[in-house]
Structure formats: structure tokens, C-alpha cells
Amino acid sequence: MITLMNEQFRAFSIGPFPYDPKHSALGEYHYCPSPGFKGGWHDPVVWYGWLGPTWIVTEDNGTKYMEQTRPQAAINPLWPLLAAGSEDWRDYTLEATVRPLSTHSHTGIVFRYQHGRRHYFLGLEGGRLLLLKRNQDEVSELAAVKFDYDSDHFYRLKVVCSGGELRGFADGRELLQASDGEYEYGKIGLSSRMPAQYTDVCVSMTQAQHEVWLQETRQASVELAGLSAGYPQPRLWKTIDLKNFGTAREIRFGHLTGTKELCIVLAQHQKRGHKDAYAHISCLTAIKLDGEVLWQLGEPSTNPDHALLSADLPLQVCDIDGDGIDEVIVSRNFQLMILDGRTGAVKRAVPTPLSEQPDSSLHSLPFHKYAFDRVNVDAIRIANFSGKDRPADILIKDRYSRVWVYDHELNLQWTFQQGITGHFPYTADIDGDGRDEMFIGYHLVDHDGTLLWTLPVETDHTDEILIGRWNPDEPDPLIAIASGEEGFMIADLQGRVLQKHTVGHAQRVSVGNYRPDLPGLELCVTTFWGCQGIVYLYDCRGKLLHQFEPPCNGIVITPVNWTGDGQDLVLLNGSAVHGGLIDGEGRTVVRFPEDGHPELCAEVLDLTGDSRDELVLWDQQRMYIYTQDSSPQHEPVYAPEKYPLYNASNYRGEFHYPPGRHS
């Protein structure tokens, strides 16, 4: 046998396995790996209600143990996991020494792990040794046998997987056999839903298995290298020193000077009250792409807490008055303001609405009491409810219950309150009357605030929304929503749910031409809470094409027009190790250079004017902008219809449509 892994956790110091001590939502769209030594292991399971680490390294009599610490009552229905190894391992033997510190739920080892919701399991539960198969929420028992065990002893578990034949061992005896070849490849892992200890984890292959694996690995590496060589590589175009005004994902792009050159507005914030519930913009800085400061409102800060936020800030950049120069629409200090894009001077301002609705009607309200007399605005969207020749209406919302709509002169037009708004509504002229409708939460609302219909969905809230024509078989646009624990859904314009995919906590959704060989456009979805970062790719009809799990957070799945030939790639994040651009089959075809670039935030837009996208990476200190290292190879260069810059948000479903196709 050839040993690929022999893990006794000796390289680890006692203490917690790296984790997010805040258990925050920052990783939904920031790449922020937990610092510390991981030794090739990855914890894919996160939850906002947890305290402390899931896994800790302990020691007894010179032996190190990886210990799962959470009891089932604190994690139900999640399966704590720790994964390692290579996703292309096929046939191998996995062994581990396991001690269940409680016999009240399962404790065991995971093999052919493809992601946190798709793998096989061998372990102990209910006085039995079990072989299980997990596929999303469905757990199938492949084989089981009675097995006496307790919490005082260690047990040597072993599984041998060869093709579709699975064999389970305990303490040297073969006790289980099953046939299931659906999962052909995958990593290994540890999984226990009650506290348990693990040590001496060993992965091995026979000589023949190892030779096959090496051959497959070499072939895949050569094929990927050849594939990657066909794409432009990132070339550093600009770097910007953000001095003391840098921020995280709270930036906006616009034509502040009335020229073709894009400028950037960066917003810092202070937190009020409870966590991120009432974030307040503390500083706005407008800069050119060479770093020159145009103007600044407020006092800048280098405090990281003034940059990192798990929410939107009420800020957009838009030519709201039609004079050819973008204004900055912002809510600050309980005022809704329109600022001159050139100077930051206030052109118009009104107080934000009074919070007059009963606190009992508001959702996710900290301590069940609204903190202020006036509304602390959560987000702003620009729409065309009034039927003008351009979007010039201003929608503001709180977190997460109410909407107010103003015209371009800041006159209140209408309000809406029903159910949970979610994070960021979608507006489009769905019925062709020249006025936008609004999809918010699970509701479709007419241009005057009249509720038209509500999807038959009872729980959670919508994180991201898309409405468009991606399926050529459908005459009308469809609605795609990523709605947390409700999963990923596709609905029609009559309010009927056509498809519902239980993929875990659906967080983000995008649409693009990820597979030019297939009809229509493809949809990409990723998850966060629970098993984070799983990426699903669907065809235009909602059929699952591919699924995988990057071992990191901050998966943004933004479509990228990188080549200009009509094919879109998918941006994962800015990490040189785990990020880059993938194609429609999940292969990383473009990687970022290891040049010390910032990795926290990533954005995509055309900054050079050749219709292809640049890649913008930044943190609180620096911004790096990458363009292609070669000229476009196709004429004319493909220029998809994209989400407009004047409606930026951390919670918008990103799209690339052929011109004129989205609605």
C-alpha cells in the first residue's frame, strides 16, 4: 500500500482549529480566511448563532486529537465536518481512530466527499455501524450492522472504496458491504454530530490504484494547462493607495466628472446599536482611477471596523437629474441627500421618514424596538416607476420591513410594507407599460406600490433576485431567487414556483453564457450558512450541470466577460490560491498572480473601454486593477448587458445578457 496521508495532528498546537470568532456574514462576499495553521484541513460548516470553535486540538499522554466540540442540540440539523485531501481521489482506503464522547448521535468518517451535502459516511450511531450516503437533505442507509460501542473506548474505523464497491471495517473486522458508484471521486473527512475525538487518520492506495490516480492527475493537469493557455492572463493595470479612506465592499463607480472616465466613491461607516443593524455612513471619499481625491465628506478612519460590514450602505451613483453628470445619492445622519458628483456639495436633501409603524410589524428588529425616531436607511435603489425616459426614482428601504419611493426631487411617492423585504429588491418593466415593477422578498409590486401577487413561500427571506430571459423555450422572462434555507427557486411572472432546489442556504445567484455549447444561458448559485461556498451550475431549464465546493469563503460567482468572444467565466474571489475565474465546468482557467495583491474584495467591470471586464481587487489599504495581457481576439468584441452601475449592492443577482434579451 502507498500512503497518501498519515495525520496524527502532531503539527498542531493545542487549541481551536481556525474559525471565525464572530460567526459573521462577512464571508458571504468577502474573502476572509480564519488565520492560523490548518494543516491542509478545511471546516466548511458555519452558523451565525454559534459561539466558539467547532473543532479543537487536544492532547492526552502524548497523543494529539482533533475533537469536535458541539452537541447536537446546538447544531441541529447541521453535520459538523472537517475535510482534507484531494477532490480527484477515486479508489482508496481511509482509516481513523475514533472515540465518541457521546453515543447520542453519529460519529464517523467521510469519504468521496464532494461537498458538505454530498458524500459517503461510515460511522457509529444508535448501537450500529452504518454506511450512509448523503445527497443534499436526503440521507440513505446503504448498509448497517449491530455494533456495541461506548464513550470510553477508541475504535478503528476503516472504509475501502473501489469503483462502486464499498466495504466497512471496525477494529480490523469487515462488517459491511454496499454497492453504490454515484460518487466516483472525493476528499476524506471527519464528521460527528456529538463531541468526539479523532487521531491517526490514514489514506492509502494500492500500487495499481495509485498509478491510475497519478495518470489521471497528470492528464487533467496537462488538459487544464492547455485550456488556461487559451485565455488571457491577468496583467496589473493600476494600483491605488487608499490611504486612510479605504473600505471593504462598500464602493461605487460612476461618471462623477461628466467624462467617460469612471470614478470611485468609497464609503466608511460606524455601527450603531446592535451589530450591523443600523450602520451609519461616517465618511465618503470620491477619487479618480489614479487615486486623486475629488472630494471627501466626513472624517476618514483606518479602524478596520469602519470598513468591514455584513450589509449594504445607502449609497448609489447616478445621473438622477439628467444633466450628464452623475450625482451621489446617499442617506447620512437621517437625511436623504443628492450630492454634486464633482464636489460633494448637497444639491437636495430631505429628512428620512419617521418610523411610525408599530415595532411589532417590523422584522428582525433588535430587541423588538426600533432604535430611532427616524429611519436609518439600509439600502438605496434607482428605478423608473414614473415612466420617464430614464430611471430617476429613488427607492429606500430599512432592514428588513419597509420601502419608500421618492422622485428625483425627493418628493415621497408611495410606500410599501408587507412581509420580509430581504436585502435588495429588483426593479424592471415586466408588463411593458414603460414603468418598473418591483420584486421584493416574495412579492411582485406594481409601479404605484400596489401588491400584485406573492409567491407561496413561507419562511426565510430572499438574498438575491434575477429576472430575465435565459431559457429560449420560455416566451416570457423568469424569476430566479436565492432565498436562504428555502433554497434556489425559479418562478414565472404569474407567481408560480416552477422549480425549487434544496441546496442548503442559497446565498447568491448569477446568470451568464457559462456554457456556450448549450442553448440559452446558465445559472450559477452558491451557498453560505450551513455548508458554505458550494457552487451549483444549472442549465437554462434549471437542470443541474455541476457542483463543487471551494475550500474557502467569499465566493461571489460574478459573471466575467474576460475574452470578449461571448463566453462568460465565473469569478470566485481574489485569492491567488483558492480564487480566480472558472469556466462552466468548474475548472479554474484563470488564476491571479502571487504578487501580494489584496484579496479581501473583488469586483468586475469594464474600466479600459474595450467592453471586456477588468478585475478589481482591494482591501482597506490598497486597490489592484487587472486587465487582460492580450488584445481582444474577436471583432466586434462582445458587450453583454449587465447590472447598471447605479444599482450596486452586495445582494444583487449578477447577470450578463445578450443586448436586449433580459426583459
Side-chain angles (χ1 to χ4, degrees):
M1 299 292 285
I2 296 174
T3 300
L4 280 73
M5 173 188 289
N6 188 0
E7 178 65 88
Q8 297 177 337
F9 304 106
R10 291 172 179 166
F12 288 81
S13 300
I14 62 169
F17 185 85
Y19 73 105
D20 174 12
K22 295 183 178 180
H23 295 288
S24 75
L26 288 174
E28 290 175 353
Y29 37 80
H30 298 90
Y31 176 71
C32 43
S34 300
F37 178 71
K38 298 179 183 178
W41 293 86
H42 167 59
D43 179 359
V45 184
V46 297
W47 196 252
Y48 55 83
W50 286 352
L51 298 174
T54 300
W55 298 89
I56 62 173
V57 178
T58 58
E59 181 275 337
D60 185 55
N61 290 323
T63 299
K64 293 281 185 72
Y65 300 98
M66 184 64 72
E67 182 175 321
Q68 199 288 102
T69 67
R70 299 191 190 280
Q72 183 173 348
I75 62 176
N76 199 41
L78 300 176
W79 291 30
L81 288 158
L82 208 59
S86 177
E87 61 189 14
D88 61 4
W89 284 351
R90 182 202 288 265
D91 296 334
Y92 54 84
T93 297
L94 166 63
E95 301 179 70
T97 298
V98 179
R99 179 187 177 187
L101 298 178
S102 168
T103 58
H104 290 358
S105 192
H106 82 235
T107 296
I109 54 179
V110 167
F111 60 102
R112 288 185 177 166
Y113 173 98
Q114 298 182 359
H115 57 66
R117 297 170 59 84
R118 185 175 168 87
H119 51 256
Y120 296 109
F121 169 87
L122 173 71
L124 309 170
E125 184 173 20
R128 298 188 299 164
L129 180 70
L130 302 167
L131 263 174
L132 304 177
K133 173 185 175 182
R134 180 172 185 184
N135 186 12
Q136 303 299 341
D137 290 329
E138 180 182 352
V139 179
S140 308
E141 185 178 293
L142 301 179
V145 65
K146 183 178 179 181
F147 185 81
D148 292 329
Y149 64 95
D150 57 38
S151 63
D152 299 322
H153 296 86
F154 288 93
Y155 302 91
R156 188 66 176 171
L157 302 183
K158 182 173 80 170
V159 63
V160 178
C161 50
S162 179
E165 300 304 310
L166 312 176
R167 299 156 55 204
F169 299 73
D171 293 338
R173 294 184 296 150
E174 182 174 347
L175 300 176
L176 297 174
Q177 303 84 31
S179 294
D180 191 292
E182 183 176 357
Y183 307 160
E184 298 182 24
Y185 300 86
K187 300 180 181 181
I188 62 96
L190 316 176
S191 179
S192 180
R193 299 188 68 204
M194 291 294 284
Q197 293 177 332
Y198 295 85
T199 193
D200 197 11
V201 181
C202 181
V203 179
S204 59
M205 293 180 178
T206 66
Q207 183 71 38
Q209 290 170 341
H210 191 250
E211 289 176 359
V212 170
W213 174 65
L214 286 178
Q215 183 179 356
E216 291 179 342
T217 301
R218 293 190 193 102
Q219 182 177 348
S221 178
V222 170
E223 290 176 355
L224 181 58
L227 191 65
S228 298
Y231 290 91
Q233 296 305 303
R235 175 178 64 84
L236 186 60
W237 181 57
K238 287 184 183 293
T239 62
I240 303 174
D241 181 0
L242 300 180
K243 301 181 176 66
N244 62 349
F245 52 79
T247 189
R249 286 273 303 187
E250 308 299 340
I251 71 171
R252 304 290 187 264
F253 294 86
H255 299 279
L256 299 181
T257 60
T259 67
K260 292 183 178 180
E261 181 187 15
L262 282 168
C263 299
I264 309 174
V265 179
L266 303 97
Q268 295 181 342
H269 72 279
Q270 290 177 282
K271 296 173 176 63
R272 287 169 160 164
H274 181 71
K275 297 183 178 179
D276 293 343
Y278 303 109
H280 157 72
I281 292 178
S282 55
C283 182
L284 284 180
T285 306
I287 64 171
K288 293 184 177 181
L289 289 180
D290 61 5
E292 177 190 348
V293 175
L294 293 173
W295 51 266
Q296 190 170 76
L297 177 66
E299 181 176 325
S301 169
T302 58
N303 185 335
D305 198 47
H306 295 168
L308 291 169
L309 183 70
S310 62
D312 273 338
L313 285 175
L315 168 70
Q316 297 296 355
V317 175
C318 177
D319 181 9
I320 203 72
D321 57 12
D323 66 353
I325 302 173
D326 281 351
E327 284 75 42
V328 176
I329 298 92
V330 62
S331 180
R332 183 171 186 261
N333 198 26
F334 306 103
Q335 292 253 313
L336 178 60
M337 299 181 288
I338 299 175
L339 309 181
D340 190 313
R342 296 163 295 189
T343 66
V346 178
K347 299 177 75 170
R348 290 183 182 272
V350 295
T352 61
L354 289 168
S355 183
E356 298 175 317
Q357 294 75 20
D359 289 341
S360 59
S361 71
L362 307 183
H363 296 275
S364 303
L365 192 61
F367 314 113
H368 308 290
K369 179 67 178 176
Y370 201 78
F372 308 104
D373 279 1
R374 291 199 177 274
V375 170
N376 188 86
V377 179
D378 172 68
I380 294 174
R381 185 180 177 97
I382 308 302
N384 188 8
F385 298 119
S386 55
K388 292 185 173 62
D389 58 356
R390 69 184 192 284
D393 299 308
I394 301 170
L395 179 158
I396 68 173
K397 63 178 287 290
D398 68 356
R399 188 179 171 97
Y400 298 91
S401 303
R402 298 167 291 183
V403 165
W404 298 261
V405 172
Y406 295 80
D407 66 15
H408 70 283
E409 295 182 338
L410 300 185
N411 299 304
L412 182 64
Q413 302 299 295
W414 51 267
T415 65
F416 178 80
Q417 180 183 2
Q418 181 153 336
I420 302 176
T421 60
H423 292 282
F424 195 65
Y426 192 100
T427 54
D429 180 13
I430 293 173
D431 58 11
D433 66 351
R435 300 168 185 261
D436 282 350
E437 285 71 50
M438 172 178 69
F439 190 88
I440 185 167
Y442 300 122
H443 313 294
L444 185 67
V445 180
D446 210 349
H447 65 269
D448 58 0
T450 302
L451 177 64
L452 297 175
W453 51 254
T454 300
L455 289 178
V457 182
E458 299 296 330
T459 65
D460 219 317
H461 64 265
T462 296
D463 282 297
E464 294 196 347
I465 305 162
L466 287 172
I467 300 179
R469 287 186 169 93
W470 52 78
N471 184 351
D473 297 336
E474 293 286 343
D476 296 321
L478 297 173
I479 304 170
I481 53 176
S483 297
E485 297 302 306
E486 288 285 350
F488 167 56
M489 289 174 278
I490 297 176
D492 64 17
L493 296 185
Q494 288 71 51
R496 296 172 296 202
V497 176
L498 304 179
Q499 294 188 43
K500 183 173 182 177
H501 299 272
T502 54
V503 295
H505 186 102
Q507 186 66 44
R508 313 207 72 170
V509 60
S510 69
V511 63
N513 193 16
Y514 302 134
R515 289 282 303 271
D517 58 311
L518 298 178
L521 304 176
E522 290 71 48
L523 294 141
C524 190
V525 176
T526 191
T527 63
F528 190 69
W529 297 115
C531 297
Q532 70 171 355
I534 304 172
V535 177
Y536 300 92
L537 192 77
Y538 298 87
D539 72 8
C540 66
R541 300 176 181 90
K543 176 185 176 183
L544 182 63
L545 299 172
H546 191 65
Q547 54 188 313
F548 69 101
E549 179 188 272
C552 62
N553 58 19
I555 306 299
V556 297
I557 61 168
T558 307
V560 185
N561 179 29
W562 186 243
T563 55
D565 62 358
Q567 177 192 7
D568 290 310
L569 300 178
V570 181
L571 172 65
L572 295 180
N573 56 49
S575 168
V577 177
H578 300 304
L581 310 183
I582 64 169
D583 66 7
E585 298 186 23
R587 300 170 295 194
T588 305
V589 294
V590 178
R591 293 189 178 275
F592 289 105
E594 296 186 8
D595 57 0
H597 64 261
E599 298 181 333
L600 178 69
C601 304
E603 187 58 277
V604 173
L605 73 163
D606 175 21
L607 289 170
T608 64
D610 70 355
S611 295
R612 298 181 300 174
D613 286 327
E614 275 62 58
L615 305 169
V616 186
L617 308 181
W618 75 96
D619 58 19
Q620 196 174 4
Q621 291 79 41
R622 304 165 301 154
M623 177 177 287
Y624 280 39
I625 304 175
Y626 294 91
T627 190
Q628 296 81 2
D629 66 355
S630 59
S631 300
Q633 302 300 304
H634 303 269
E635 293 293 343
V637 178
Y638 180 68
E641 186 171 342
K642 308 170 68 145
Y643 223 119
L645 294 178
Y646 56 73
N647 274 330
S649 171
N650 291 320
Y651 300 94
R652 69 181 195 181
E654 301 287 357
F655 60 76
H656 279 188
Y657 296 117
R661 274 274 305 277
H662 80 286
S663 61

